[in-house]
Amino acid sequence: MDLQKIKYEWFGNIRGDILSGLVVAFALVPEAIGFSIIAGVNPMVGLYASFCIALVIAFVGGRPAMISAATGATALLMGGLVKGHGLQYLLAATILTGIIQIILGSLKIARLMKFIPRSVMTGFVNSLAILIFMAQLTHFQGATWVMYAMVAGGLAIIYLFPRITKAVPSPLVAIIVITIIAVATGAHVRTIGDLGNLSQSLPTFFIPDVPFNLETFRIIFPYSLGIALVGLIESLLTAQIVDDLTDTSSDKNKEARGQGIANIASGLFGGMAGCAMIGQSGINVRSGGRGRLSTFVAAVFLMILIVALNDVLVKIPMAALVAVMIMVCIGTFDWSSLRKLPIMPITDTIVMVVTVITVVATDNLSIGVVTGVILSAIFFASKMSKVEVKTLTGADSNKKTYQVYGQLFFASVTDFVDQFDFKEEISEVDLDLSNTHLWDDSAVGAIDKVVLKYRQNGVKVNIKGLNSASTKLMDKLAVINAAAK
């Protein structure tokens, strides 16, 4: 155990972590309530989840300063289960979600992160910024000019206050100032209290009231598996983004296991499943948060707001929190990606745009990421499938040498075979494979096909230049080798 590292992660930035944690706690409230509504449960379920997940992940997560709580990505998958079977089954599914995530983390699922291209990451970030902004627009429905004025005032404080001092996070100042103005003037604007009934009670431990049998498992497993995968995709991508923002590294397999432990705790204390939140993580980092203490403070202060400061909490105008979230959108969106569009490879541009469109259209980050990865793989396979066969004719007109350039695998073998003329009048062929590599069974099958077709016409074929890996593959799978034996 590295005590020095633990000390640094918890107490290396005490002031910044405490202040940023306070800001995040305010921002968690409307999000948790909104996601509870999406899932079809009482607002307190989302708030309890945010408290439990953030508190636990502060200790067991692999990415300090990242905020995890109830999220929209996971909430979208819960509605059917809640509607069909009720809250208790959702809590059981949340616990199973955590178990699945611990298993996946132990299997080192984070290794799959290397297969997510930069264009998909950029699309993920930009689409999330768009979704966060679109979510704020609902707060303007039926609003008066006062709401617009307060949001504008909040943004002005957020961006101008740092010119005076950076000792206090400007989003926290904006929340406090706009709340004081709203209360002092008696302005008729929507407040947190208008979002739902917030009880002043702590979460309590209990086992979900469901039958512990295979039928229950059959019901909840599909939901748990989907939530676990979506949660890990969003958490690992967010961890990478926080890595980039803070110029530090993190243990993403530990983060995956930590997400599982946090979700188990959430289910046992009456909360729904959640994952990392890029919006709140962005608020935390941009407000000065760098360590585990910031996540811990956010969790603890969130519960203090609910239990001890409930009367104050319900009076905070949504305008103040909308201003903070718009700041997050502006800071999250990768504006440089727009400037690079004319010079980026067209395939990268298509992948990024398709990822954004898919996420915004489905309101599901995981679908967009998977779509982007699949599209990138198709483009990559297309690029790599270009294979060229050059013909060399020596002094002997009855002998030809074919030099193959490119990669031989399932996507290139058809073009490879089509470049040979099996009916030409020759007696011997040298197949020079020194400038290629055989990747799979399809490649071996293509070599077999070429050699066997020439042999059917009485032409001798000499295979030359195979590298060691390709030779081993040929030795194992080639029909021509078996025939020769």
Side-chain angles (χ1 to χ4, degrees):
M1 183 179 292
D2 190 343
L3 294 178
Q4 191 65 32
K5 180 181 179 182
I6 293 174
K7 181 180 178 181
Y8 175 77
E9 288 182 348
W10 277 96
F11 307 112
N13 182 41
I14 295 177
R15 187 172 174 282
D17 285 346
I18 291 176
L19 291 175
S20 63
L22 298 181
V23 179
V24 171
F26 285 113
L28 282 174
V29 176
E31 299 284 298
I33 295 173
F35 299 146
S36 298
I37 295 171
I38 290 173
V41 296
N42 186 283
M44 295 308 298
V45 175
L47 290 168
Y48 287 157
S50 295
F51 165 69
C52 292
I53 293 172
L55 184 68
V56 173
I57 208 69
F59 291 93
V60 300
R63 171 62 265 180
M66 190 166 76
I67 305 298
S68 295
T71 63
T74 54
L76 283 168
L77 304 177
M78 302 173 186
L81 180 60
V82 174
K83 187 176 181 181
H85 300 278
L87 174 62
Q88 295 300 317
Y89 278 81
L90 174 61
L91 301 181
T94 297
I95 295 172
L96 182 57
T97 294
I99 294 172
I100 293 172
Q101 290 178 327
I102 291 174
I103 293 172
L104 292 175
S106 300
L107 295 174
K108 302 189 184 302
I109 191 176
R111 288 179 295 189
L112 299 178
M113 282 292 294
K114 64 184 179 182
F115 295 108
I116 300 180
R118 180 181 176 86
S119 54
V120 176
M121 285 285 293
T122 303
F124 168 80
V125 170
N126 290 348
S127 58
L128 194 51
I130 293 170
L131 286 180
I132 294 172
F133 180 78
M134 289 173 61
Q136 309 314 307
L137 299 180
T138 58
H139 299 298
F140 290 95
Q141 293 177 0
T144 64
W145 67 269
V146 179
M147 171 72 174
Y148 291 89
M150 286 188 170
V151 171
L155 287 170
I157 294 172
I158 288 170
Y159 286 107
L160 296 178
F161 188 77
R163 297 186 179 185
I164 300 173
T165 178
K166 294 183 179 179
V168 182
S170 59
L172 179 60
V173 176
I175 292 171
I176 294 172
V177 171
I178 298 301
T179 301
I180 292 173
I181 293 174
V183 173
T185 60
H188 295 289
V189 293
R190 290 188 73 194
T191 64
I192 288 179
D194 295 326
L195 298 179
N197 183 34
L198 308 182
S199 62
Q200 295 177 271
S201 58
L202 289 168
T204 55
F205 177 87
F206 66 91
I207 304 296
D209 185 16
V210 298
F212 289 89
N213 54 35
L214 286 176
E215 178 62 18
T216 298
F217 181 79
R218 183 189 66 79
I219 292 171
I220 67 175
F221 179 74
Y223 292 96
S224 297
L225 180 61
I227 295 168
L229 293 175
V230 168
L232 286 182
I233 289 173
E234 185 162 355
S235 296
L236 296 180
L237 287 175
T238 302
Q240 184 61 53
I241 292 168
V242 176
D243 286 356
D244 295 339
L245 287 173
T246 58
D247 197 25
T248 57
S249 61
S250 60
D251 186 340
K252 294 177 181 60
N253 288 311
K254 181 180 179 181
E255 181 62 39
R257 297 191 297 271
Q259 291 289 330
I261 297 170
N263 277 320
I264 291 174
S266 178
L268 292 173
F269 282 89
M272 60 191 199
C275 62
M277 307 179 77
I278 189 172
Q280 275 66 16
S281 297
I283 292 173
N284 191 39
V285 171
R286 290 184 175 88
S287 298
R290 290 295 181 273
R292 296 180 183 274
L293 184 61
S294 61
T295 308
F296 177 80
V297 169
V300 172
F301 191 63
L302 171 63
M303 196 47 58
I304 291 174
L305 285 172
I306 296 170
V307 177
L309 301 177
N310 191 279
D311 293 339
V312 176
L313 176 63
V314 297
K315 293 178 182 178
I316 296 175
M318 286 305 304
L321 298 176
V322 167
V324 173
M325 297 310 294
I326 290 176
M327 176 269 291
V328 172
C329 299
I330 296 171
T332 300
F333 195 92
D334 186 355
W335 299 100
S336 65
S337 65
L338 298 181
R339 296 192 298 270
K340 293 178 182 176
L341 283 178
I343 59 175
M344 283 175 63
I346 186 64
T347 53
D348 287 351
T349 299
I350 292 173
V351 168
M352 184 184 75
V353 172
V354 168
T355 301
V356 172
I357 292 174
T358 304
V359 171
V360 174
T362 62
D363 202 23
N364 191 314
L365 293 166
S366 61
I367 293 177
V369 171
V370 171
T371 301
V373 171
I374 292 174
L375 193 58
S376 294
I378 292 172
F379 284 140
F380 177 76
S382 178
K383 289 177 183 177
M384 296 297 292
S385 67
K386 294 185 172 95
V387 62
E388 183 181 5
V389 179
K390 292 184 178 180
T391 306
L392 300 179
T393 304
D396 187 351
S397 60
N398 288 320
K399 182 177 181 179
K400 276 191 176 181
T401 298
Y402 291 100
Q403 290 184 331
V404 183
Y405 296 86
Q407 307 298 313
L408 279 182
F409 65 111
F410 66 91
S412 62
V413 292
T414 301
D415 290 340
F416 166 71
V417 174
D418 288 345
Q419 295 183 63
F420 292 92
D421 181 5
F422 300 106
K423 296 181 180 180
E424 59 187 336
E425 297 294 330
I426 53 175
S427 60
E428 188 173 355
V429 165
D430 283 345
L431 189 58
D432 186 353
L433 300 173
S434 54
N435 294 303
T436 189
H437 184 89
L438 277 58
W439 289 100
D440 56 12
D441 181 57
S442 297
V444 175
I447 300 295
D448 277 337
K449 187 173 183 179
V450 169
V451 174
L452 291 174
K453 279 198 172 188
Y454 272 121
R455 284 181 181 175
Q456 288 172 4
N457 295 328
V459 179
K460 180 183 177 183
V461 180
N462 306 308
I463 298 177
K464 298 181 177 181
L466 274 176
N467 59 39
S468 59
S470 298
T471 300
K472 288 179 182 178
L473 197 61
M474 285 288 292
D475 290 342
K476 289 180 182 179
L477 302 175
V479 173
I480 55 174
N481 291 342
K485 294 175 182 177

